Amino acid sequence: MPRGKMTGKATGKPACQLLFSEALRRQKHSSVEDSSSLPCTNMADDTQGATMDRILQEISVVSRKLEVMDNAMVALMAETRSMRLDIAGFQSQISGLDQGVATMETQVASWTDRDLELSHLRSKLTDLEDRSRRNNVCILGFPEGVEGADIFSYLLDILPKLTDTIFDPPLEFQRAHRLGPKRQVENGRPSN
């Protein structure tokens, strides 16, 4: 194949590479050096130079990328330090809030105790006010133990009979109790 027509389009290899391959093949097959191999060597040197230039360009690109990554890492480290400081500040704030919450819990517990005491005192006051407003009726003269176990039922039954009255609405009692302790039947004295 003549030299000018070797383009390497059919094989996909560069023309210089094809020339260099052909020159090596010729060198193997012939014992005499061919003068046509000299331009191929120059082409191989040109290819090596172009390859070296390409490698240097790629190294330069990689170097720039590494520089950008280094700058990003420095910025990231600075941001991480800033976040650490923020987190330390938040931790101290949370610690202060925890102490405040503990104080508030103690106060709420004391308020709960006070609320219970206040509720108890209100109940007592209401009871005392109710007692002072009551219409107390004291019924005397009933024999000892005649009321039985249920004083309410006995009073609801006996009062209409004693007064000869029909109560409409029926009588209503808030409380009913005997005065004094029960007497013993044998000696007629109150038991202790």
Side-chain angles (χ1 to χ4, degrees), residues 115-129:
D115 284 345
L116 289 173
E117 184 180 356
L118 183 62
S119 174
H120 180 67
L121 290 173
R122 281 184 181 155
S123 173
K124 278 186 167 183
L125 179 64
T126 302
D127 186 45
L128 289 172
E129 286 176 346

Side-chain angles (χ1 to χ4, degrees), residues 105-122:
E105 285 175 344
T106 304
Q107 287 180 354
V108 166
S110 70
W111 291 342
T112 303
D113 293 342
R114 288 180 186 163
D115 284 345
L116 289 173
E117 184 180 356
L118 183 62
S119 174
H120 180 67
L121 290 173
R122 281 184 181 155

Side-chain angles (χ1 to χ4, degrees), residues 135-178:
N135 296 324
N136 292 328
V137 177
C138 187
I139 305 171
L140 302 172
F142 288 103
E144 188 71 36
V146 77
E147 74 276 1
D150 190 7
I151 253 181
F152 285 111
S153 298
Y154 178 72
L155 289 175
L156 286 173
D157 184 44
I158 197 72
L159 285 178
K161 291 178 187 174
L162 289 174
T163 58
D164 200 23
T165 309
I166 298 173
F167 294 100
D168 188 29
L171 288 174
E172 192 176 309
F173 298 102
Q174 286 181 344
R175 291 188 179 137
H177 56 87
R178 60 173 287 115

